[in-house]
Amino acid sequence: MTDQSEEPEVELEARLAEQETFEPPESFVEQANVTDEGIYEEFEEAWPECWEAAADLLEWDEPYENVLEDEDAPFYRWFTGGKLNASYNCLDRHVENGAKNRAAIQWEGELGETRTYTYGELLNEVEAFAAGLRELGVEEDDVVTMYMPMIPELPIAMLACARIGAPHSVVFAGFSAEALATRMNASDSEYLITCDGYYRRGDALNHKEKSDKGLRQVDHDVTTVVVDRLGDELKHFLGKHAHDYDELVAEHEGASVEPVSRDAEDMLFLMYTSGTTGQPKGVKHTTAGYLAYTAWTGQAVLDIKPEDTYWCSADIGWITGHSYIVYGPLALGTTTLMYEGTPDYPEKDRFWELVEKYRVDTFYTAPTAIRAFMKWGAEYPEAHDLSSLRLLGTVGEPINPRAWKWYYKHIGGEECPIVDTWWQTETGGHMITTLPGIGEMKPGSAGPGLPGLDVRVVDGTGEEVDAGHAGYLTVNNPWPGMLRTLYQNDERFVSEYWQEYSDPDADEWVYFPEDGAKIDEDGYITVLGRVDDVINVSGHRLGTMELESAIVATAGVAEAAVVGGDHELKGEAVYAYVILEDGQEPTDAMRERIVDNVVEGIGPIAKPEDVIFTPELPKTRSGKIMRRLLEDIASGNELGNTSTLRNPDVVEDIQQQVQDD
Ligand code: WTA
């Protein structure tokens, strides 16, 4: 006898598995911020003035004169003539508008401690810290580096800098001491805000040791502020030029610091990211365009409302955290949740416990996390009441249809739209995604370009490819959130990202994100991944050149080639092919030294999945390393034609090595 009660469930599974498109649920549409399909046409017809809609979400000290200035393309300038302050827009104006007692930041530490900052309290602490920074000598346009984990003092420090017009440069806390030093040297940053340590899976990590080590490699004097996160758990010593955060804030409690009126195009922050060459790139974002764009996309794509509790589980050390934990949500006056730890500590239901506890409305995470949730099983979310959720989002890497459907069913209860948002550090905010109250969703495809964006998939000559074919992603018109340049490197900015098509006088500059993609008949774009030498590990961007230099720095290593190979949980993982110097033995100890050097040089996220010793690397006749081939070996794919190689025999040797490992 069959169990009748199981049938509907089985049927549902089958239906869900087959279904290729999903309409936004009616209950969502009814309350969505954007519901009029006409927005696409409206923005196209009124471009670039359409972006006034974004500027209108901000309060200006002085109104702008031009929406867009493009004489110096691709050095586009947005909202020129306007003046404003980002911290005023994220704090004061909400306090003035009656939201003084609304929670701005809800923070939860890994051990379960909680802190709530209302807009009023956040403003007070930001002012006090801004006054403290000034006392330490920070002036307008000085770059202040932050090397901090997910603690409230990080957004407080960012907003304090924004208040006094000092651009911040946040370095991900998981990066190494070397990575910190490189970034501080590159930006001539004379101030560092850091902390003693933080919790990871129950352990107190010593962060100060790492930042001190980094400071020893900085080529100029640095004034430091240290947040005491761990108290008695970890005693730390403040050296010369170091100040205690709490003391500094206490000394300036009650201070009132006028927000500095910044030009629209003044730098708000720098964010270093990986590219094709070894040196990380200092992506420069400006005050008006960036803030307007993150607020506008926060409202249109993430459907943020002031009364929401909104949660983006990214780290503020990456662009996602800047745009969609700090600036976008706070500009919109909502409550943003910050969580210090990992999703599996103390148990694998930690995230769902938080959703239930804080009644989270919108949850925004990365596919790598979703793949882990899937692997752990549906019982973890099922143990919690997730009915507060209204919208789900993903970012950072492609999401496969299976993971999409799992997320839709087990987290969203089939009642929450999913926005699969494609964007980059350089774009400042979302670029390709459906609008959740309008667009039909297709699992695996991010969707069309946002209103006002001319996103295309082209071949090598810049011609659009036919539906279903792969090509390069391009953005053929500028947008307010775009990077303005690479810090002190205008030349690299132009050569890395922009191509001028047709006749040079036409000023038709096209932005190349270095991603491959395909487009379907409805204009929906499926992003296929990077086409440059960048590996996307768990949604984190790593440059192969940086990895290779860390490996080659190991004594006994002659040459290295690093590629990304498929990985069930991480999306891509780092595989290192290494040639040793003559007389060196390919031992496990050597392998360990290589791995340690990568972790030391970049950080634990860059840890190679495998180190494969080989006497040679597969090279073309012209001497170029055949990375594609190494990628296929790492991913266990069928190998293509190897006859164009100068040394075809080496391929078999390497395959054998991989199997033996
Ligand atoms: C990838 C993160 C597919 C892409 C915001 C891009 C994605 C790089 C998606 C930028 C997505 C980001 N689907 N791929 N929804 N979102 N990517 O600068 O390759 O850390 O170029 O910015 O991540 O990484 P970044």
Side-chain angles (χ1 to χ4, degrees):
M1 219 178 87
T2 55
D3 181 355
Q4 295 290 321
S5 66
E6 274 198 18
E7 275 192 353
E9 175 68 7
V10 172
E11 233 175 69
L12 188 73
E13 286 287 351
R15 218 179 53 218
L16 207 59
E18 277 168 21
Q19 203 172 336
E20 288 314 321
T21 62
F22 294 75
E23 288 296 330
E26 199 50 46
S27 56
F28 181 88
V29 177
E30 274 165 15
Q31 59 77 61
N33 286 339
V34 179
T35 49
D36 180 6
E37 260 180 79
I39 189 169
Y40 289 93
E41 217 177 288
E42 248 171 58
F43 267 54
E44 194 176 333
E45 279 167 14
W47 196 90
E49 281 72 31
C50 56
W51 288 116
E52 294 196 43
D56 285 348
L57 294 173
L58 305 181
E59 246 174 72
W60 297 77
D61 300 340
E62 274 174 42
Y64 53 87
E65 286 152 22
N66 306 296
V67 173
L68 172 65
E69 270 187 45
D70 59 4
E71 298 82 79
D72 297 327
F75 297 94
Y76 295 97
R77 295 154 55 80
W78 288 87
F79 309 121
T80 50
K83 279 178 170 279
L84 76 169
N85 180 281
S87 110
Y88 176 84
N89 271 281
C90 290
L91 301 169
D92 309 55
R93 65 162 168 160
H94 304 312
V95 172
E96 288 162 15
N97 293 338
K100 183 169 173 230
N101 296 322
R102 184 187 304 145
I105 296 177
Q106 290 277 16
W107 176 82
E108 179 145 335
E110 203 189 60
L111 303 184
E113 326 97 283
T114 59
R115 277 197 249 164
T116 303
Y117 290 83
T118 64
Y119 273 94
E121 290 163 345
L122 194 59
L123 174 59
N124 287 343
E125 189 153 333
V126 164
E127 286 193 90
F129 191 51
L133 287 175
R134 274 210 176 130
E135 187 203 295
L136 299 182
V138 179
E139 289 179 9
E140 203 175 340
D141 294 320
D142 285 346
V143 176
V144 177
T145 302
M146 283 147 213
Y147 187 42
M148 280 205 261
M150 289 290 283
I151 53 176
E153 288 80 1
L154 174 53
I156 289 168
M158 291 162 75
L159 292 167
C161 283
R163 194 164 194 89
I164 57 176
H168 52 75
S169 165
V170 179
V171 178
F172 175 54
F175 273 146
S176 66
E178 282 77 5
L180 170 68
T182 311
R183 285 156 179 77
M184 289 195 75
N185 286 332
S187 59
D188 298 318
S189 175
E190 295 177 349
Y191 298 91
L192 172 69
I193 303 160
T194 183
C195 71
D196 55 347
Y198 56 103
Y199 290 104
R200 231 354 140 256
R201 296 205 168 83
D203 294 332
L205 295 192
N206 190 331
H207 187 64
K208 181 144 186 305
E209 213 170 66
K210 209 164 66 163
S211 67
D212 285 346
K213 187 175 166 204
L215 280 176
R216 288 196 288 276
Q217 298 169 50
V218 175
D219 54 23
H220 51 263
D221 285 343
V222 177
T223 301
T224 312
V225 180
V226 183
V227 177
D228 185 358
R229 157 76 185 107
L230 294 177
D232 289 341
E233 182 90 32
L234 186 94
K235 290 265 187 260
H236 66 272
F237 167 74
L238 289 180
K240 216 171 127 200
H241 306 304
H243 304 262
D244 178 69
Y245 175 91
D246 289 328
E247 275 176 26
L248 198 63
V249 165
E251 277 165 27
H252 295 275
E253 207 184 311
S256 137
V257 176
E258 266 302 293
V260 171
S261 206
R262 298 278 281 168
D263 276 337
E265 283 289 307
D266 278 344
M267 171 157 50
L268 179 61
F269 68 88
L270 274 178
M271 165 131 265
Y272 282 87
T273 189
S274 296
T276 306
T277 59
Q279 273 292 322
K281 309 185 270 196
V283 169
K284 173 181 162 181
H285 281 292
T286 54
T287 311
Y290 172 82
L291 195 63
Y293 197 69
T294 51
W296 188 85
T297 46
Q299 189 177 61
V301 179
L302 297 170
D303 201 53
I304 291 175
K305 302 185 170 64
E307 58 277 13
D308 284 350
T309 295
Y310 157 89
W311 184 23
C312 166
S313 74
D315 192 293
I316 296 176
W318 305 100
I319 192 70
T320 304
H322 277 52
S323 301
Y324 300 114
I325 296 177
V326 183
Y327 285 111
L330 294 180
L332 293 169
T334 196
T335 301
T336 183
L337 178 65
M338 271 180 82
Y339 172 55
E340 180 185 36
T342 55
D344 55 352
Y345 188 85
E347 290 298 332
K348 295 189 174 76
D349 65 344
R350 187 60 189 268
F351 274 21
W352 319 126
E353 191 183 271
L354 291 171
V355 168
E356 179 171 0
K357 176 173 171 186
Y358 292 97
R359 308 291 303 151
V360 170
D361 295 273
T362 296
F363 177 62
Y364 190 31
T365 197
T368 188
I370 299 168
R371 289 192 295 268
F373 302 146
M374 261 174 92
K375 194 171 171 205
W376 297 338
E379 61 267 33
Y380 295 102
E382 270 161 17
H384 294 276
D385 175 8
L386 307 183
S387 62
S388 60
L389 289 171
R390 162 176 105 235
L391 174 66
L392 301 175
T394 78
V395 55
E397 37 167 345
I399 179 164
N400 65 41
R402 213 176 125 236
W404 193 102
K405 287 173 186 170
W406 189 93
Y407 194 35
Y408 186 73
K409 180 170 180 226
H410 294 287
I411 308 303
E414 296 177 64
E415 282 179 4
C416 304
I418 296 177
V419 283
D420 173 358
T421 59
W422 178 92
W423 58 292
Q424 306 180 297
T425 304
E426 292 87 343
T427 70
H430 305 141
M431 300 293 280
I432 303 173
T433 170
T434 50
L435 286 170
I438 298 177
E440 186 178 75
M441 296 164 274
K442 301 186 189 185
S445 163
L450 280 176
L453 301 184
D454 182 0
V455 178
R456 302 184 192 180
V457 179
V458 304
D459 63 19
T461 66
E463 286 298 314
E464 285 186 74
V465 299
D466 291 336
H469 290 270
Y472 301 102
L473 197 60
T474 62
V475 188
N476 291 49
N477 61 353
W479 65 100
M482 59 186 281
L483 80 166
R484 297 304 194 266
T485 192
L486 293 177
Y487 191 58
Q488 292 177 337
N489 207 340
D490 289 347
E491 217 169 284
R492 188 169 171 198
F493 165 71
V494 178
S495 66
E496 287 222 3
Y497 298 108
W498 300 89
Q499 270 197 33
E500 199 177 17
Y501 277 125
S502 62
D503 77 289
D505 299 331
D507 264 347
E508 281 181 32
W509 286 89
V510 173
Y511 174 79
F512 273 74
E514 299 284 345
D515 268 18
K518 60 183 187 180
I519 189 161
D520 73 7
E521 289 80 10
D522 303 324
Y524 275 51
I525 291 168
T526 298
V527 177
L528 301 169
R530 303 285 304 191
V531 294
D532 59 359
D533 294 331
V534 167
I535 306 180
N536 190 334
V537 179
S538 302
H540 300 147
R541 251 168 96 162
L542 299 172
T544 48
M545 284 275 283
E546 291 159 70
L547 289 154
E548 285 163 9
S549 16
I551 294 175
V552 174
T554 314
V557 171
E559 197 183 343
V562 164
V563 298
D566 296 343
H567 189 276
E568 191 195 342
L569 289 178
K570 300 176 181 172
E572 277 189 297
V574 173
Y575 289 84
Y577 296 86
V578 172
I579 303 180
L580 295 177
E581 280 169 2
D582 282 349
Q584 294 288 337
E585 289 300 314
T587 57
D588 281 345
M590 174 62 94
R591 194 172 268 132
E592 257 170 50
R593 281 205 295 280
I594 291 172
V595 170
D596 287 351
N597 259 359
V598 174
V599 173
E600 281 276 299
I602 301 169
I605 49 162
K607 195 171 173 174
E609 192 67 20
D610 199 359
V611 174
I612 301 131
F613 293 114
T614 169
E616 267 182 275
L617 291 167
K619 291 195 175 156
T620 61
R621 299 225 160 87
S622 59
K624 252 187 97 181
I625 297 172
M626 280 276 277
R627 288 176 179 280
R628 180 62 47 80
L629 206 61
L630 293 173
E631 280 164 15
D632 284 339
I633 296 173
S635 304
N637 296 339
E638 191 123 340
L639 299 188
N641 187 0
T642 57
S643 64
T644 53
L645 288 180
R646 195 170 60 187
N647 50 353
D649 295 347
V650 73
V651 173
E652 230 168 89
D653 290 352
I654 298 177
Q655 273 180 311
Q656 194 59 45
Q657 267 276 345
V658 172
Q659 274 162 21
D660 291 350
D661 284 347

mmCIF file of all heavy atoms in Angstrom, residues 273 318-320 394-399 420-426 446 513-515 527 529-530 536 539-541, ligand 1:
data_model
loop_
_atom_site.group_PDB
_atom_site.id
_atom_site.type_symbol
_atom_site.label_atom_id
_atom_site.label_comp_id
_atom_site.label_asym_id
_atom_site.label_seq_id
_atom_site.Cartn_x
_atom_site.Cartn_y
_atom_site.Cartn_z
ATOM 1 N N THR A 273 40.799 45.668 -4.234
ATOM 2 C CA THR A 273 40.280 44.397 -4.738
ATOM 3 C C THR A 273 41.298 43.778 -5.691
ATOM 4 O O THR A 273 42.227 44.447 -6.130
ATOM 5 C CB THR A 273 38.911 44.598 -5.413
ATOM 6 O OG1 THR A 273 38.352 43.319 -5.706
ATOM 7 C CG2 THR A 273 39.012 45.391 -6.709
ATOM 8 N N TRP A 318 34.124 43.505 2.803
ATOM 9 C CA TRP A 318 33.949 43.388 1.352
ATOM 10 C C TRP A 318 32.952 44.451 0.906
ATOM 11 O O TRP A 318 32.223 45.002 1.713
ATOM 12 C CB TRP A 318 33.412 42.007 0.974
ATOM 13 C CG TRP A 318 34.249 40.884 1.488
ATOM 14 C CD1 TRP A 318 33.996 40.121 2.593
ATOM 15 C CD2 TRP A 318 35.476 40.387 0.939
ATOM 16 N NE1 TRP A 318 34.992 39.178 2.757
ATOM 17 C CE2 TRP A 318 35.909 39.323 1.756
ATOM 18 C CE3 TRP A 318 36.250 40.738 -0.177
ATOM 19 C CZ2 TRP A 318 37.077 38.608 1.497
ATOM 20 C CZ3 TRP A 318 37.410 40.026 -0.423
ATOM 21 C CH2 TRP A 318 37.818 38.974 0.404
ATOM 22 N N ILE A 319 32.872 44.649 -0.385
ATOM 23 C CA ILE A 319 31.981 45.701 -0.897
ATOM 24 C C ILE A 319 30.516 45.427 -0.534
ATOM 25 O O ILE A 319 29.759 46.349 -0.264
ATOM 26 C CB ILE A 319 32.134 45.884 -2.432
ATOM 27 C CG1 ILE A 319 31.432 47.161 -2.914
ATOM 28 C CG2 ILE A 319 31.599 44.694 -3.184
ATOM 29 C CD1 ILE A 319 32.065 48.452 -2.514
ATOM 30 N N THR A 320 30.123 44.161 -0.498
ATOM 31 C CA THR A 320 28.716 43.864 -0.196
ATOM 32 C C THR A 320 28.334 44.431 1.165
ATOM 33 O O THR A 320 27.255 45.002 1.335
ATOM 34 C CB THR A 320 28.454 42.346 -0.229
ATOM 35 O OG1 THR A 320 28.866 41.866 -1.508
ATOM 36 C CG2 THR A 320 26.987 42.025 -0.032
ATOM 37 N N THR A 394 20.801 36.848 -3.229
ATOM 38 C CA THR A 394 22.125 36.230 -3.291
ATOM 39 C C THR A 394 23.074 37.143 -4.037
ATOM 40 O O THR A 394 22.662 37.963 -4.847
ATOM 41 C CB THR A 394 22.148 34.845 -3.995
ATOM 42 O OG1 THR A 394 22.099 35.052 -5.399
ATOM 43 C CG2 THR A 394 21.031 33.960 -3.558
ATOM 44 N N VAL A 395 24.354 36.972 -3.775
ATOM 45 C CA VAL A 395 25.390 37.805 -4.391
ATOM 46 C C VAL A 395 26.740 37.118 -4.324
ATOM 47 O O VAL A 395 26.995 36.343 -3.412
ATOM 48 C CB VAL A 395 25.505 39.164 -3.673
ATOM 49 C CG1 VAL A 395 25.741 39.010 -2.185
ATOM 50 C CG2 VAL A 395 26.611 40.036 -4.283
ATOM 51 N N GLY A 396 27.578 37.414 -5.282
ATOM 52 C CA GLY A 396 28.987 37.045 -5.171
ATOM 53 C C GLY A 396 29.472 36.015 -6.166
ATOM 54 O O GLY A 396 30.642 35.975 -6.503
ATOM 55 N N GLU A 397 28.587 35.160 -6.626
ATOM 56 C CA GLU A 397 28.977 34.110 -7.567
ATOM 57 C C GLU A 397 27.692 33.557 -8.181
ATOM 58 O O GLU A 397 26.609 33.801 -7.662
ATOM 59 C CB GLU A 397 29.769 33.008 -6.853
ATOM 60 C CG GLU A 397 29.220 32.775 -5.492
ATOM 61 C CD GLU A 397 29.696 31.531 -4.777
ATOM 62 O OE1 GLU A 397 30.270 30.640 -5.395
ATOM 63 O OE2 GLU A 397 29.424 31.455 -3.580
ATOM 64 N N PRO A 398 27.842 32.804 -9.260
ATOM 65 C CA PRO A 398 26.636 32.236 -9.859
ATOM 66 C C PRO A 398 25.965 31.269 -8.889
ATOM 67 O O PRO A 398 26.635 30.588 -8.118
ATOM 68 C CB PRO A 398 27.165 31.481 -11.078
ATOM 69 C CG PRO A 398 28.525 32.058 -11.354
ATOM 70 C CD PRO A 398 29.060 32.486 -10.029
ATOM 71 N N ILE A 399 24.656 31.231 -8.915
ATOM 72 C CA ILE A 399 23.932 30.244 -8.096
ATOM 73 C C ILE A 399 23.319 29.240 -9.061
ATOM 74 O O ILE A 399 22.675 29.627 -10.042
ATOM 75 C CB ILE A 399 22.871 30.904 -7.184
ATOM 76 C CG1 ILE A 399 22.115 29.840 -6.371
ATOM 77 C CG2 ILE A 399 21.900 31.800 -7.936
ATOM 78 C CD1 ILE A 399 21.342 30.400 -5.175
ATOM 79 N N ASP A 420 18.801 37.536 -7.469
ATOM 80 C CA ASP A 420 20.164 37.066 -7.713
ATOM 81 C C ASP A 420 20.889 38.272 -8.297
ATOM 82 O O ASP A 420 20.725 38.617 -9.455
ATOM 83 C CB ASP A 420 20.101 35.891 -8.699
ATOM 84 C CG ASP A 420 21.480 35.424 -9.172
ATOM 85 O OD1 ASP A 420 22.498 36.020 -8.776
ATOM 86 O OD2 ASP A 420 21.519 34.461 -9.969
ATOM 87 N N THR A 421 21.668 38.938 -7.450
ATOM 88 C CA THR A 421 22.220 40.238 -7.826
ATOM 89 C C THR A 421 23.658 40.118 -8.310
ATOM 90 O O THR A 421 24.544 39.748 -7.563
ATOM 91 C CB THR A 421 22.198 41.188 -6.619
ATOM 92 O OG1 THR A 421 22.962 40.605 -5.556
ATOM 93 C CG2 THR A 421 20.773 41.419 -6.122
ATOM 94 N N TRP A 422 23.875 40.460 -9.568
ATOM 95 C CA TRP A 422 25.239 40.499 -10.093
ATOM 96 C C TRP A 422 25.776 41.921 -9.983
ATOM 97 O O TRP A 422 25.134 42.871 -10.419
ATOM 98 C CB TRP A 422 25.288 40.059 -11.566
ATOM 99 C CG TRP A 422 26.696 40.152 -12.087
ATOM 100 C CD1 TRP A 422 27.628 39.168 -12.084
ATOM 101 C CD2 TRP A 422 27.345 41.313 -12.631
ATOM 102 N NE1 TRP A 422 28.825 39.643 -12.585
ATOM 103 C CE2 TRP A 422 28.677 40.951 -12.927
ATOM 104 C CE3 TRP A 422 26.935 42.620 -12.891
ATOM 105 C CZ2 TRP A 422 29.600 41.851 -13.472
ATOM 106 C CZ3 TRP A 422 27.849 43.523 -13.426
ATOM 107 C CH2 TRP A 422 29.166 43.131 -13.721
ATOM 108 N N TRP A 423 26.937 42.039 -9.394
ATOM 109 C CA TRP A 423 27.627 43.333 -9.359
ATOM 110 C C TRP A 423 29.036 43.135 -8.889
ATOM 111 O O TRP A 423 29.458 41.986 -8.717
ATOM 112 C CB TRP A 423 26.860 44.354 -8.513
ATOM 113 C CG TRP A 423 26.592 43.976 -7.072
ATOM 114 C CD1 TRP A 423 25.768 42.988 -6.625
ATOM 115 C CD2 TRP A 423 27.147 44.587 -5.902
ATOM 116 N NE1 TRP A 423 25.777 42.955 -5.253
ATOM 117 C CE2 TRP A 423 26.610 43.922 -4.787
ATOM 118 C CE3 TRP A 423 28.038 45.645 -5.686
ATOM 119 C CZ2 TRP A 423 26.943 44.267 -3.470
ATOM 120 C CZ3 TRP A 423 28.357 45.998 -4.380
ATOM 121 C CH2 TRP A 423 27.813 45.312 -3.294
ATOM 122 N N GLN A 424 29.781 44.200 -8.694
ATOM 123 C CA GLN A 424 31.207 44.110 -8.354
ATOM 124 C C GLN A 424 31.621 45.237 -7.418
ATOM 125 O O GLN A 424 30.922 46.249 -7.317
ATOM 126 C CB GLN A 424 32.056 44.295 -9.612
ATOM 127 C CG GLN A 424 31.741 43.383 -10.744
ATOM 128 C CD GLN A 424 32.655 43.664 -11.919
ATOM 129 O OE1 GLN A 424 32.627 44.749 -12.484
ATOM 130 N NE2 GLN A 424 33.473 42.694 -12.293
ATOM 131 N N THR A 425 32.793 45.069 -6.815
ATOM 132 C CA THR A 425 33.388 46.143 -6.027
ATOM 133 C C THR A 425 33.356 47.444 -6.848
ATOM 134 O O THR A 425 33.034 48.518 -6.338
ATOM 135 C CB THR A 425 34.863 45.791 -5.707
ATOM 136 O OG1 THR A 425 34.877 44.522 -5.053
ATOM 137 C CG2 THR A 425 35.503 46.843 -4.818
ATOM 138 N N GLU A 426 33.681 47.310 -8.113
ATOM 139 C CA GLU A 426 33.799 48.473 -8.978
ATOM 140 C C GLU A 426 32.458 49.118 -9.301
ATOM 141 O O GLU A 426 32.395 50.320 -9.584
ATOM 142 C CB GLU A 426 34.448 48.065 -10.315
ATOM 143 C CG GLU A 426 35.906 47.652 -10.210
ATOM 144 C CD GLU A 426 36.101 46.173 -9.877
ATOM 145 O OE1 GLU A 426 35.136 45.522 -9.410
ATOM 146 O OE2 GLU A 426 37.217 45.667 -10.075
ATOM 147 N N ALA A 446 20.648 35.690 -13.421
ATOM 148 C CA ALA A 446 20.476 36.847 -12.535
ATOM 149 C C ALA A 446 19.279 37.699 -12.965
ATOM 150 O O ALA A 446 18.549 38.216 -12.132
ATOM 151 C CB ALA A 446 21.751 37.682 -12.509
ATOM 152 N N PRO A 513 33.491 44.290 -17.275
ATOM 153 C CA PRO A 513 33.656 43.755 -15.912
ATOM 154 C C PRO A 513 34.572 42.535 -15.840
ATOM 155 O O PRO A 513 34.873 42.063 -14.761
ATOM 156 C CB PRO A 513 32.243 43.337 -15.511
ATOM 157 C CG PRO A 513 31.332 43.780 -16.606
ATOM 158 C CD PRO A 513 32.162 43.999 -17.821
ATOM 159 N N GLU A 514 34.990 42.005 -16.996
ATOM 160 C CA GLU A 514 35.823 40.788 -17.026
ATOM 161 C C GLU A 514 35.046 39.547 -16.595
ATOM 162 O O GLU A 514 35.597 38.655 -15.966
ATOM 163 C CB GLU A 514 37.081 40.949 -16.162
ATOM 164 C CG GLU A 514 37.994 42.072 -16.594
ATOM 165 C CD GLU A 514 38.820 41.731 -17.834
ATOM 166 O OE1 GLU A 514 38.913 40.554 -18.206
ATOM 167 O OE2 GLU A 514 39.362 42.673 -18.433
ATOM 168 N N ASP A 515 33.773 39.527 -16.934
ATOM 169 C CA ASP A 515 32.966 38.341 -16.682
ATOM 170 C C ASP A 515 32.441 37.798 -18.015
ATOM 171 O O ASP A 515 32.140 38.569 -18.920
ATOM 172 C CB ASP A 515 31.750 38.681 -15.796
ATOM 173 C CG ASP A 515 32.046 38.498 -14.311
ATOM 174 O OD1 ASP A 515 33.231 38.453 -13.944
ATOM 175 O OD2 ASP A 515 31.086 38.406 -13.531
ATOM 176 N N VAL A 527 25.359 34.721 -15.680
ATOM 177 C CA VAL A 527 26.778 35.044 -15.558
ATOM 178 C C VAL A 527 27.547 33.741 -15.432
ATOM 179 O O VAL A 527 27.201 32.871 -14.636
ATOM 180 C CB VAL A 527 27.024 35.959 -14.342
ATOM 181 C CG1 VAL A 527 28.505 36.237 -14.174
ATOM 182 C CG2 VAL A 527 26.242 37.259 -14.502
ATOM 183 N N GLY A 529 31.066 33.519 -15.114
ATOM 184 C CA GLY A 529 32.278 33.580 -14.281
ATOM 185 C C GLY A 529 33.326 34.481 -14.894
ATOM 186 O O GLY A 529 33.143 35.016 -15.985
ATOM 187 N N ARG A 530 34.434 34.621 -14.183
ATOM 188 C CA ARG A 530 35.474 35.554 -14.599
ATOM 189 C C ARG A 530 36.171 35.075 -15.870
ATOM 190 O O ARG A 530 36.372 33.875 -16.066
ATOM 191 C CB ARG A 530 36.524 35.686 -13.497
ATOM 192 C CG ARG A 530 36.001 36.112 -12.163
ATOM 193 C CD ARG A 530 35.642 37.558 -12.064
ATOM 194 N NE ARG A 530 36.728 38.459 -12.394
ATOM 195 C CZ ARG A 530 36.674 39.781 -12.149
ATOM 196 N NH1 ARG A 530 35.601 40.318 -11.590
ATOM 197 N NH2 ARG A 530 37.668 40.549 -12.482
ATOM 198 N N ASN A 536 37.214 32.954 -7.852
ATOM 199 C CA ASN A 536 36.139 33.338 -6.952
ATOM 200 C C ASN A 536 35.913 32.214 -5.934
ATOM 201 O O ASN A 536 35.187 31.269 -6.183
ATOM 202 C CB ASN A 536 34.876 33.587 -7.797
ATOM 203 C CG ASN A 536 33.776 34.228 -6.995
ATOM 204 O OD1 ASN A 536 33.706 34.081 -5.779
ATOM 205 N ND2 ASN A 536 32.893 34.946 -7.673
ATOM 206 N N GLY A 539 32.772 33.195 -3.122
ATOM 207 C CA GLY A 539 32.327 34.568 -3.362
ATOM 208 C C GLY A 539 33.388 35.611 -3.061
ATOM 209 O O GLY A 539 33.112 36.798 -3.095
ATOM 210 N N HIS A 540 34.618 35.183 -2.779
ATOM 211 C CA HIS A 540 35.697 36.133 -2.512
ATOM 212 C C HIS A 540 36.673 36.167 -3.673
ATOM 213 O O HIS A 540 37.110 35.134 -4.156
ATOM 214 C CB HIS A 540 36.454 35.757 -1.232
ATOM 215 C CG HIS A 540 35.580 35.729 -0.024
ATOM 216 N ND1 HIS A 540 35.773 34.858 1.010
ATOM 217 C CD2 HIS A 540 34.502 36.462 0.299
ATOM 218 C CE1 HIS A 540 34.833 35.060 1.924
ATOM 219 N NE2 HIS A 540 34.052 36.026 1.517
ATOM 220 N N ARG A 541 37.011 37.363 -4.071
ATOM 221 C CA ARG A 541 37.869 37.550 -5.237
ATOM 222 C C ARG A 541 39.335 37.421 -4.893
ATOM 223 O O ARG A 541 39.836 38.153 -4.062
ATOM 224 C CB ARG A 541 37.642 38.968 -5.735
ATOM 225 C CG ARG A 541 36.926 39.048 -6.999
ATOM 226 C CD ARG A 541 36.531 40.474 -7.212
ATOM 227 N NE ARG A 541 37.491 41.139 -8.047
ATOM 228 C CZ ARG A 541 37.214 42.276 -8.671
ATOM 229 N NH1 ARG A 541 36.056 42.861 -8.507
ATOM 230 N NH2 ARG A 541 38.094 42.837 -9.443
HETATM 231 C C1 WTA B 1 31.045 37.557 -9.334
HETATM 232 C C2 WTA B 1 30.920 41.224 -5.137
HETATM 233 C C3 WTA B 1 27.386 35.495 -10.745
HETATM 234 C C4 WTA B 1 31.423 38.087 -10.710
HETATM 235 C C5 WTA B 1 29.616 42.023 -5.123
HETATM 236 C C6 WTA B 1 31.954 39.477 -10.415
HETATM 237 C C7 WTA B 1 28.594 37.040 -9.538
HETATM 238 C C8 WTA B 1 32.636 39.274 -9.094
HETATM 239 C C9 WTA B 1 27.395 37.527 -8.946
HETATM 240 C C10 WTA B 1 32.724 40.539 -8.278
HETATM 241 C C11 WTA B 1 26.156 36.901 -9.309
HETATM 242 C C12 WTA B 1 29.088 38.680 -8.208
HETATM 243 N N1 WTA B 1 26.215 35.900 -10.208
HETATM 244 N N2 WTA B 1 28.576 36.036 -10.434
HETATM 245 N N3 WTA B 1 25.000 37.258 -8.772
HETATM 246 N N4 WTA B 1 27.747 38.540 -8.123
HETATM 247 N N5 WTA B 1 29.614 37.771 -9.047
HETATM 248 O O1 WTA B 1 34.110 42.605 -6.569
HETATM 249 O O2 WTA B 1 32.431 37.280 -11.277
HETATM 250 O O3 WTA B 1 33.904 40.888 -4.721
HETATM 251 O O4 WTA B 1 32.829 39.965 -11.399
HETATM 252 O O5 WTA B 1 31.908 41.997 -5.739
HETATM 253 O O6 WTA B 1 31.847 38.293 -8.419
HETATM 254 O O7 WTA B 1 33.264 40.297 -7.008
HETATM 255 P P1 WTA B 1 33.362 41.471 -5.954
#
